[in-house]
């Protein structure tokens, strides 16, 4: 079967498709002056160019089909135009007038059911651009995502973070690297995703079920790390980035290069991130052994022409993450940077092949990936052996989807995806989870129809099959217990339906109803042994976790104001969670078991962005996040973040002499007390955090240098985040942290 599919796919490489071009002139809408250096980009083709000194541009090698062209320039509103190339003789002239930045307009996103603008999606997708990420004073890449309303982070210090979307986390949230699910032993809050943001252009976040598009694990939402655009035709581009963190004495340095010569594109990047133990808020002292060090690299190469794009990516990440656990806190009494005792030693290799083929009204996406993830836990000279855990997870993924445009109003896709995964334990004595094999196969389809310009309707269906095999193995204390062989199948049917109703040009309403599922992971089915400071026992008879969520959203967009409100209700049948029991081991160690119960989560987010017409330099933002999560049998769900209120005021000057864009921003977060803890958690008091940032883009001759200075927890508040696992050992969250970021984009003449 797989061989036939590969032959079918590669046969398309030899087909010839007529190329087209789009050209035009880009000018300032106020004075009609040409705008040179505007970035012009076609998302689906990963192809772009820049306007010349006269504001003129040309996009060549475009196939037949419908595409979105994006025009972006510093200090101006981003413009998006839908272009339909219908025949080989068609000539498209597209002149663009750009307005100075007021409030950012709708973006083109790729993580939803179909590539399109935000206003066409039946689900709202939050985005974080590179500039947004660099303005967050966090030493690790994943921690920057908690700036999005509805997104939080389970953390064990600044180097270990696991995302939470609307109260769901771990195996309930799917993280994609360039569209590929990351395989990362994601059954525990101590296992962070191994990515540092190299080669990433932006982050797209779906809050809510996305199983229909991505399968098991997307019941809570999806975080997609989208690759950056390829270099402009005939250019070599680069970026040097340096960050310094006062609290962790941290340094982050990266260098990235990319080029494009006659359709052959390539890229390379490397990054080093080194941080010492962090200082707690309120002068509470050093959080010993929270140090972390990572080394990352990224390579890519490909070919982009009128028939499509064919690209290969390789990502490497090596992380050493200190663990502030009781045995380590007895040994580490001096602040340092080097990992010596009690740390995770994690290595990840990821190879991705992303391919897009354009055949008129038919577009084919074919993605293949292989990931090798190795997790080691290093103890100390006081443990029986230094290396306590050594597990290797190997995963092969494939996803092939065909999208057909029936008419200008109707399109649909049909696809299938699968995964083959193996976990193997090395010679280390602790087998947190046993050797196991897992195989997935699924078929999915969705259709969209637009009724005039007012109503968009989507509906889809998906079937999933999973087979799990775990051989007979030893477990328990000193491997004294024989666990029987596990051989199970899990099947599921998912469905979703949604609509976007444009009440007028400025106001739209979204409604989405989706079912989703998650199959029990290997740990939940088979675990029987020590994990951290507790003894955990799985249940081989666990059923699929299934949910049904209803989402309702309202979006208002005027020239000077945007307002969003989103409400949801998520009912989960057979919710899987880890629960303490009354039993203990002979030494008093608590025993926890995986259980299932019907549960529900409800809440929403509301936000407003106001830009006064009389003060074009001022931006005001306010958003509020509310969440309530409970088991039907009584009691509250674990790892549920507290409700939050965020306010931000920013002063922005687009251009003044050699200063291209300058800003000053002050923000504050009020986090309410979390007084609905689960049975093995404690309540957490509320707290207030003050943050500030200042930055500018300075032009020196023809070179742009970006500076920003960001301060988080400016008042050095002493507080516990409810989702910090360091709370259990009495360690407060990070105190005041001032981050200096220097970013230098440059070009190299080929």
């Amino acid at each position: 079967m797989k061989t036939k599919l590969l032959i079918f796919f590669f046969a398309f490489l030899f087909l010839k498709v007529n190329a087209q071009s789009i050209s035009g002139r880009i000018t300032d809408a106020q004075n009609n002056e040409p705008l040179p250096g505007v970035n012009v980009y076609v998302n689906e083709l990963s192809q772009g160019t820049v306007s010349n000194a006269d504001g003129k541009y040309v996009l060549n090698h475009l196939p037949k089909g419908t595409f979105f062209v994006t025009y972006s320039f510093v200090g101006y509103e981003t413009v998006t135009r839908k272009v339909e190339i219908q025949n080989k003789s068609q000539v498209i002239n597209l002149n663009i007038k750009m307005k100075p930045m007021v409030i950012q307009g709708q973006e083109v996103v790729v993580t939803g059911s179909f590539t399109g603008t935000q206003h066409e999606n039946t689900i709202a997708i939050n985005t974080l651009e590179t500039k947004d990420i660099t303005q967050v004073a966090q030493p690790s890449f994943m921690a920057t995502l908690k700036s999005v309303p509805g997104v939080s982070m389970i953390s064990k210090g600044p180097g270990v973070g696991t995302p939470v979307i609307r109260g769901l986390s771990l195996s309930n949230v799917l993280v994609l690297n360039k569209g590929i699910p990351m395989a990362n032993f994601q059954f525990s809050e101590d296992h962070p995703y191994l990515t540092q943001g190299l080669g990433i252009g932006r982050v797209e976040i779906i809050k809510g079920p996305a199983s229909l598009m991505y399968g098991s694990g997307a019941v809570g939402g999806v975080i997609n790390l989208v690759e950056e655009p390829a270099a402009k035709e005939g250019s070599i581009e680069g970026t040097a980035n340096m960050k310094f963190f006062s609290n962790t004495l941290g340094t982050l340095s990266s260098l990235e290069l990319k080029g494009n010569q006659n359709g052959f594109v390539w890229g390379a990047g490397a990054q080093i991130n080194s941080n010492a133990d962090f200082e707690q808020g309120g002068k509470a002292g050093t959080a010993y052994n929270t140090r972390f060090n990572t080394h990352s690299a990224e390579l890519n190469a490909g070919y982009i022409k009128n028939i499509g794009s064919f690209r290969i990516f390789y990502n490497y990440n090596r992380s050493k993450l200190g663990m502030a656990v009781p045995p380590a806190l007895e040994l580490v009494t001096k602040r340092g940077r080097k990992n010596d005792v009690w740390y995770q030693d994690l290595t990840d290799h990821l190879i991705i092949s992303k391919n897009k083929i354009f055949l008129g009204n038919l577009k084919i996406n074919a993605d293949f990936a292989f990931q090798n993830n190795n997790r080691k836990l290093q103890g100390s000279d006081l443990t029986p052996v230094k290396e306590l855990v050594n597990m290797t997870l190997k995963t092969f993924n494939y996803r092939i989807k065909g999208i057909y445009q029936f008419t200008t109003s109707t399109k649909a896709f049909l696809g299938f995806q699968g995964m083959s995964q193996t976990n193997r334990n090395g010679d280390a004595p602790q087998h947190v989870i046993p050797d196991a094999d897992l195989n997935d196969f699924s078929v999915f389809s969705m259709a969209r129809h637009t009724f005039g310009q007012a109503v968009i309707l989507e509906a889809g269906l998906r079937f999933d099959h999973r087979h799990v095999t775990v051989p007979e193995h030893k477990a328990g204390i000193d491997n004294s217990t024989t666990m029987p062989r596990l051989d199970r199948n899990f099947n599921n049917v998912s469905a979703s339906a949604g609509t976007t109703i444009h009440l007028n040009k400025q106001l739209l309403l979204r409604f989405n109803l989706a079912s989703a599922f998650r199959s029990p992971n290997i740990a939940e089915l088979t675990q029987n042994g020590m994990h951290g400071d507790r003894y955990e026992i799985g249940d081989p008879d666990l059923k699929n976790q299934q949910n049904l969520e209803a989402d309702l959203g309202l979006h208002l967009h005027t020239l000077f104001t945007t307002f969003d409100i989103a409400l949801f209700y998520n009912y989960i049948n057979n919710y899987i969670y880890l629960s303490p029991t009354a039993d203990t081991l002979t030494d008093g160690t608590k025993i926890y078991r995986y259980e299932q119960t019907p549960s529900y989560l409800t809440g929403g987010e509301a936000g407003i962005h106001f830009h006064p017409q009389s003060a074009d330099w001022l931006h005001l933002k306010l958003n509020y996040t509310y969440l309530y999560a409970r088991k039907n049998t009584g009691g509250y769900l674990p790892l549920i973040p507290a409700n939050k209120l965020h306010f931000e005021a920013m002063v922005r000057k687009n251009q003044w002499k050699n200063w291209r864009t300058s800003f000053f921003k002050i923000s504050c977060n009020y986090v309410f007390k979390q007084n609905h803890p689960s049975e093995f958690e404690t309540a957490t008091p509320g707290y207030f955090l003050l943050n500030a940032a200042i930055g500018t883009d300075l032009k020196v001759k023809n070179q742009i240098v970006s500076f920003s200075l960001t301060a988080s927890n400016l008042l050095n508040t002493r507080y516990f985040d409810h989702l910090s696992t360091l709370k259990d050992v009495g360690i407060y969250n990070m105190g005041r942290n001032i981050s200096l970021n220097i970013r230098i984009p440059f070009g190299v003449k080929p």
Side-chain angles (χ1 to χ4, degrees):
M1 177 69 176
K2 293 181 180 178
T3 302
K4 292 181 179 179
L5 291 172
L6 290 174
I7 294 173
F8 171 78
F9 164 66
F10 285 111
F12 283 110
L13 300 182
F14 301 97
L15 295 178
K16 182 177 180 181
V17 180
N18 292 304
Q20 304 299 316
S21 66
I22 300 173
S23 61
R25 188 168 182 263
I26 306 171
T27 57
D28 186 305
Q30 292 183 342
N31 55 31
N32 208 35
E33 292 292 324
L35 290 177
V38 176
N39 289 304
V40 185
Y41 183 64
V42 183
N43 196 290
E44 284 191 280
L45 296 174
S46 299
Q47 179 181 343
T49 186
V50 293
S51 58
N52 63 17
D54 297 322
K56 295 182 179 180
Y57 72 96
V58 178
L59 282 170
N60 293 312
H61 309 300
L62 300 178
K64 180 181 176 182
T66 301
F67 304 96
F68 290 90
V69 185
T70 300
Y71 304 81
S72 61
F73 191 52
V74 175
Y76 287 80
E77 291 184 49
T78 298
V79 177
T80 300
R81 293 287 184 266
K82 181 186 287 188
V83 176
E84 295 184 10
I85 301 175
Q86 299 178 346
N87 55 69
K88 64 181 181 179
S89 61
Q90 186 177 4
V91 177
I92 295 179
N93 184 60
L94 191 56
N95 295 322
I96 300 296
K97 292 185 180 294
M98 301 188 71
K99 299 177 182 178
M101 174 76 74
V102 180
I103 291 180
Q104 182 62 52
Q106 55 178 319
E107 308 124 306
V108 175
V109 290
V110 300
T111 309
S113 51
F114 298 92
T115 297
T117 64
Q118 287 278 32
H119 291 180
E120 291 183 319
N121 282 315
T122 58
I123 52 174
I125 300 177
N126 290 92
T127 61
L128 273 179
E129 302 293 336
T130 302
K131 64 178 181 356
D132 302 318
I133 295 170
T134 57
Q135 292 175 10
V136 178
Q138 293 289 341
S140 69
F141 175 79
M142 289 301 292
T144 63
L145 306 185
K146 64 182 182 181
S147 61
V148 176
V151 179
S152 302
M153 200 67 56
I154 302 171
S155 66
K156 205 178 192 70
V160 181
T162 300
V164 181
I165 300 179
R166 288 180 170 176
L168 293 177
S169 56
L170 307 178
S171 295
N172 294 302
V173 171
L174 199 61
V175 176
L176 310 176
N177 191 336
K178 303 174 182 68
I180 299 298
M182 297 188 69
N184 205 75
F185 293 110
Q186 204 52 40
F187 61 88
S188 167
E189 61 268 23
D190 292 338
H191 303 169
Y193 286 101
L194 298 184
T195 179
Q196 293 299 315
L198 276 177
I200 302 302
R202 69 179 183 279
V203 181
E204 297 182 355
I205 300 173
I206 296 176
K207 292 180 290 190
S211 285
L212 190 136
M213 292 178 287
Y214 298 103
S216 178
V219 295
V222 170
I223 296 173
N224 189 10
L225 314 179
V226 182
E227 67 273 15
E228 66 177 351
K232 310 301 184 295
E233 176 69 42
S235 70
I236 297 177
E237 306 167 7
T239 304
N241 192 67
M242 291 152 283
K243 269 190 173 184
F244 307 92
F245 306 99
S246 67
N247 188 290
T248 62
L249 305 178
T251 60
L252 186 154
S253 303
S254 65
L255 179 65
E256 296 182 76
L257 285 171
K258 60 182 179 180
N260 184 342
Q261 284 75 44
N262 196 29
F264 173 73
V265 298
W266 57 271
Q271 183 183 100
I272 299 175
N273 190 0
S274 178
N275 293 265
D277 303 329
F278 77 84
E279 294 293 328
Q280 304 173 69
K283 298 181 180 180
T286 303
Y288 292 116
N289 211 43
T290 56
R291 61 198 69 175
F292 67 98
N293 297 274
T294 66
H295 295 78
S296 306
E298 196 258 355
L299 297 171
N300 70 79
Y303 190 65
I304 301 175
K305 279 295 184 181
N306 56 302
I307 189 174
S309 65
F310 312 93
R311 304 184 68 183
I312 295 178
F313 300 85
Y314 168 70
N315 286 89
Y316 166 81
N317 187 289
R318 175 77 182 275
S319 296
K320 294 183 178 181
L321 310 172
M323 301 182 67
V325 293
L329 298 178
E330 295 177 2
L331 298 173
V332 182
T333 57
K334 292 184 179 180
R335 193 181 195 190
R337 184 180 304 273
K338 183 180 178 182
N339 298 100
D340 292 315
V341 299
W342 286 101
Y343 64 93
Q344 297 185 65
D345 187 356
L346 311 176
T347 304
D348 188 75
H349 300 270
L350 175 62
I351 300 174
I352 302 172
S353 172
K354 289 183 69 69
N355 308 279
K356 299 177 182 179
I357 303 168
F358 300 96
L359 303 169
N361 291 334
L362 176 64
K363 302 175 185 178
I364 299 176
N365 295 345
D367 299 337
F368 307 90
F370 175 76
Q371 186 169 355
N372 185 308
N373 187 290
N374 177 252
R375 178 179 183 266
K376 297 177 181 178
L377 173 60
Q378 306 293 347
S380 72
D381 293 336
L382 300 180
T383 53
V385 294
K386 184 71 179 291
E387 189 170 280
L388 298 173
V389 175
N390 187 342
M391 299 189 298
T392 299
L393 193 68
K394 296 182 179 181
T395 308
F396 171 72
N397 297 87
Y398 62 91
R399 176 182 170 93
I400 299 175
K401 182 171 73 172
I403 307 163
Y404 192 80
Q405 185 87 33
F406 292 93
T407 67
T408 56
S409 301
T410 305
K411 56 184 174 181
F413 67 70
L414 174 66
F416 58 91
Q417 71 180 71
M419 179 179 72
S420 178
Q421 187 177 83
T422 63
N423 180 66
R424 296 294 182 265
N425 286 277
D427 295 331
Q430 293 186 13
H431 294 185
V432 180
I433 56 176
D435 294 352
D437 295 277
L438 186 151
N439 288 279
D440 286 353
F441 178 78
S442 60
V443 180
F444 55 98
S445 181
M446 178 170 278
R448 170 189 286 181
H449 182 75
T450 302
F451 298 88
Q453 300 295 320
V455 179
I456 299 171
L457 182 64
E458 284 187 355
L461 194 66
R462 179 186 181 103
F463 170 76
D464 284 86
H465 170 77
R466 169 169 288 185
H467 180 72
V468 178
T469 304
V470 179
E472 181 181 287
H473 60 280
K474 297 290 185 179
I477 299 296
D478 299 323
N479 291 324
S480 57
T481 302
T482 299
M483 303 297 293
R485 176 183 174 86
L486 176 70
D487 196 328
R488 288 193 63 185
N489 292 305
F490 297 90
N491 299 306
N492 190 81
V493 175
S494 304
S496 74
T499 183
T500 297
I501 302 172
H502 292 262
L503 302 176
N504 54 47
K505 291 183 178 181
Q506 299 176 332
L507 186 64
L508 64 87
L509 183 71
R510 291 188 178 98
F511 176 75
N512 197 67
L513 183 66
S515 64
F517 82 104
R518 179 175 75 81
S519 299
N521 61 43
I522 300 299
E524 294 163 342
L525 291 168
T526 67
Q527 202 165 12
N528 192 322
M530 291 297 300
H531 188 204
D533 59 353
R534 60 197 184 199
Y535 194 92
E536 298 178 0
I537 300 176
D539 182 354
D541 296 321
L542 290 176
K543 302 175 183 178
N544 274 344
Q545 175 182 298
Q546 307 213 232
N547 79 323
L548 181 66
E549 179 168 325
D551 289 86
L552 180 65
L554 182 72
H555 173 76
L556 172 69
H557 192 117
T558 70
L559 186 60
F560 299 100
T561 305
T562 61
F563 172 76
D564 287 277
I565 185 168
L567 305 173
F568 73 92
Y569 179 85
N570 189 356
Y571 175 79
I572 306 178
N573 194 27
N574 296 322
Y575 178 77
I576 303 173
Y577 66 102
L578 189 62
S579 176
T581 68
D583 299 328
T584 62
L585 300 180
T586 55
D587 62 358
T589 300
K590 293 182 179 180
I591 296 178
Y592 286 68
R593 291 182 180 274
Y594 284 102
E595 299 181 359
Q596 289 188 294
T597 188
S599 305
Y600 67 91
L601 301 96
T602 186
E605 306 90 33
I608 185 170
H609 179 182
F610 177 57
H611 177 72
Q613 184 175 4
S614 58
D616 59 359
W617 42 267
L618 180 62
H619 291 259
L620 302 172
K621 293 182 180 180
L622 179 68
N623 61 65
Y624 173 67
T625 302
Y626 172 81
L627 182 63
Y628 183 80
R630 192 176 177 88
K631 293 181 286 187
N632 286 14
T633 53
Y636 299 99
L637 298 185
L639 300 174
I640 301 300
N643 300 326
K644 301 174 185 177
L645 183 67
H646 172 83
F647 172 76
E648 176 183 307
M650 181 175 66
V651 175
R652 180 198 293 270
K653 179 67 176 178
N654 286 335
Q655 189 166 354
W656 181 70
K657 295 184 178 180
N658 288 339
W659 308 92
R660 294 290 296 274
T661 301
S662 302
F663 73 91
F664 172 72
K665 178 170 62 177
I666 188 166
S667 65
C668 55
N669 295 322
Y670 182 76
V671 180
F672 295 82
K673 62 181 180 181
Q674 173 52 290
N675 53 5
H676 294 151
S678 69
E679 59 265 39
F680 63 91
E681 298 176 328
T682 58
T684 306
Y687 54 89
F688 174 85
L689 298 178
L690 181 66
N691 311 299
I694 187 171
T696 188
D697 296 332
L698 176 63
K699 184 177 182 181
V700 182
K701 293 184 178 180
N702 292 322
Q703 179 63 56
I704 299 292
V705 181
S706 298
F707 299 91
S708 64
L709 193 65
T710 306
S712 61
N713 193 4
L714 196 58
L715 302 179
N716 201 28
T717 301
R718 179 187 297 185
Y719 71 98
F720 286 122
D721 186 306
H722 187 70
L723 299 184
S724 171
T725 60
L726 295 180
K727 174 186 172 185
D728 299 335
V729 291
I731 294 178
Y732 293 95
N733 282 76
M734 186 186 293
R736 182 186 300 112
N737 181 39
I738 298 176
S739 170
L740 172 64
N741 178 62
I742 303 173
R743 186 173 184 270
I744 306 174
F746 58 89
V748 180
K749 292 183 179 180

